[in-house]
Amino acid sequence: MKIFLDSAILSEIEESYASGIVDGVTTNPSLMKKAVEELKRSGENVSLESYIKKILLAAKGTPVSLEVTSTEYGDMVKEGKTLYRKFNVVAKNVVIKIPVNSSLENQGSFDGIKAIRALSRAGIPVNCTLIFTPEQALLAAKAGAKFVSPFAGRIDDALREGESFDKSDYYPAIGKGKHDNGVVSGVDLVAQCVRIFKMHGIKSRVLAASIRNARQLREMALAGADIATVPFYVLKDAIKHAKTAEGMRKFTEDIVPEYAVFGGKK
Ligand code: G3P
């Protein structure tokens, strides 16, 4: 399974790429807002255009998803093409993110699907976002999306509605037996998309998104997701374990001078 970083913060992107284990970056308007706010706080001049170029270079040739902000079919296609033309020259790694349904009122609009189809046919790779059911994933794939992004954490939010929980709290992959539209958890949503794509030989990649904790990352791998995109804090949490730190303390304590001659700690 590939791991993408779900962030538009350049320092996070640079630090995680330095680890050598990150295979791409995903952004969205909310993540861009966070990045712009951080730039403003640090007193830096905000040129989002040059900032995006830095992100594309920091991603070292791996895919970077940039989302459109329009909601009408023609506008989304125009914006997607403009973004691609302007930014793909930088590092040849731009993917255009299009919502599966761009209606703000939950209407059955095909604008997103049509935009995915038009951009994909024009040779522009599309990441279809805001997917909450396997059938939305299926339609996005049929329209030609290279990646489909089911939002796991937000499904768990919906299933926990009315309960009090922190954003990074784990939600069981097998659900809690609620009324759930046949999707019992975010992990289950991803697992169903994976199963359908395998069963029908669909080439689109399942990109598990809206992941909020390390255990969910593990379960995405077990569910067979092609890619999981994670926030920086999840990447950091995934490398931690109290017993690893305890073991490190003991090993460090036990270094005898005879062993240290090989160039380690004196
Ligand atoms: O990958 C999509 C992601 O940015 C949304 O995450 O935690 O806001 O649901 P979240």
Side-chain angles (χ1 to χ4, degrees):
M1 183 179 73
K2 291 191 171 173
I3 296 182
F4 286 6
L5 187 72
D6 198 26
S7 173
I9 307 277
L10 189 60
S11 57
E12 294 183 351
I13 296 169
E14 286 172 341
E15 193 180 334
S16 49
Y17 270 82
S19 73
I21 53 162
V22 174
D23 309 295
V25 174
T26 49
T27 70
N28 61 38
S30 305
L31 295 172
M32 285 293 183
K33 180 180 175 200
K34 213 170 137 194
V36 167
E37 282 170 356
E38 266 210 30
L39 281 173
K40 282 187 181 157
R41 248 196 315 275
S42 68
E44 278 189 54
N45 233 348
V46 185
S47 154
L48 201 53
E49 190 171 326
S50 64
Y51 192 77
I52 290 173
K53 287 180 179 168
K54 285 183 192 164
I55 291 178
L56 296 172
L57 290 171
K60 302 181 189 305
T62 63
V64 176
S65 293
L66 300 176
E67 188 158 340
V68 298
T69 54
S70 315
T71 55
E72 304 291 322
Y73 159 64
D75 295 340
M76 282 191 279
V77 173
K78 207 166 132 203
E79 192 186 342
K81 285 185 174 171
T82 304
L83 279 171
Y84 193 73
R85 203 172 34 243
K86 185 179 272 299
F87 292 113
N88 196 49
V89 288
V90 177
K92 303 253 171 294
N93 57 347
V94 171
V95 173
I96 300 300
K97 226 173 176 186
I98 302 283
V100 67
N101 181 342
S102 57
S103 165
L104 305 184
E105 307 299 336
N106 198 19
Q107 304 290 324
S109 157
F110 289 118
D111 282 33
I113 290 293
K114 280 161 54 188
I116 293 166
R117 188 171 162 79
L119 291 170
S120 301
R121 288 199 156 187
I124 297 176
V126 172
N127 173 0
C128 176
T129 190
L130 287 170
I131 287 183
F132 291 92
T133 65
E135 52 273 24
Q136 284 181 320
L138 183 62
L139 300 186
K142 280 193 76 89
K146 178 166 181 173
F147 304 99
V148 301
S149 292
F151 272 39
R154 291 193 191 185
I155 276 287
D156 293 344
D157 288 348
L159 292 165
R160 274 186 288 202
E161 215 169 280
E163 293 171 30
S164 138
F165 61 93
D166 285 332
K167 189 170 173 178
S168 61
D169 283 351
Y170 175 73
Y171 181 86
I174 52 164
K176 294 165 126 185
K178 293 184 148 195
H179 174 68
D180 53 25
N181 185 34
V183 172
V184 300
S185 70
V187 174
D188 181 43
L189 167 65
V190 171
Q192 290 192 35
C193 293
V194 169
R195 217 178 313 140
I196 290 171
F197 284 18
K198 272 215 177 93
M199 191 179 288
H200 296 279
I202 294 168
K203 297 276 179 291
S204 308
R205 309 278 88 189
V206 176
L207 198 175
S210 181
I211 292 176
R212 278 89 175 271
N213 52 64
R215 183 161 170 184
Q216 218 176 19
L217 171 63
R218 174 206 313 172
E219 286 172 358
M220 292 311 172
L222 287 168
D226 297 295
I227 307 150
T229 188
V230 296
F232 191 54
Y233 77 88
V234 170
L235 202 58
K236 289 208 140 187
D237 280 352
I239 200 72
K240 289 195 311 201
H241 196 282
K243 295 297 280 183
T244 306
E246 184 192 293
M248 274 310 296
R249 284 194 293 275
K250 180 67 179 141
F251 288 159
T252 306
E253 200 183 289
D254 287 347
I255 299 168
V256 289
E258 292 80 355
Y259 191 31
V261 295
F262 299 112
K265 183 175 173 284
K266 301 279 176 304

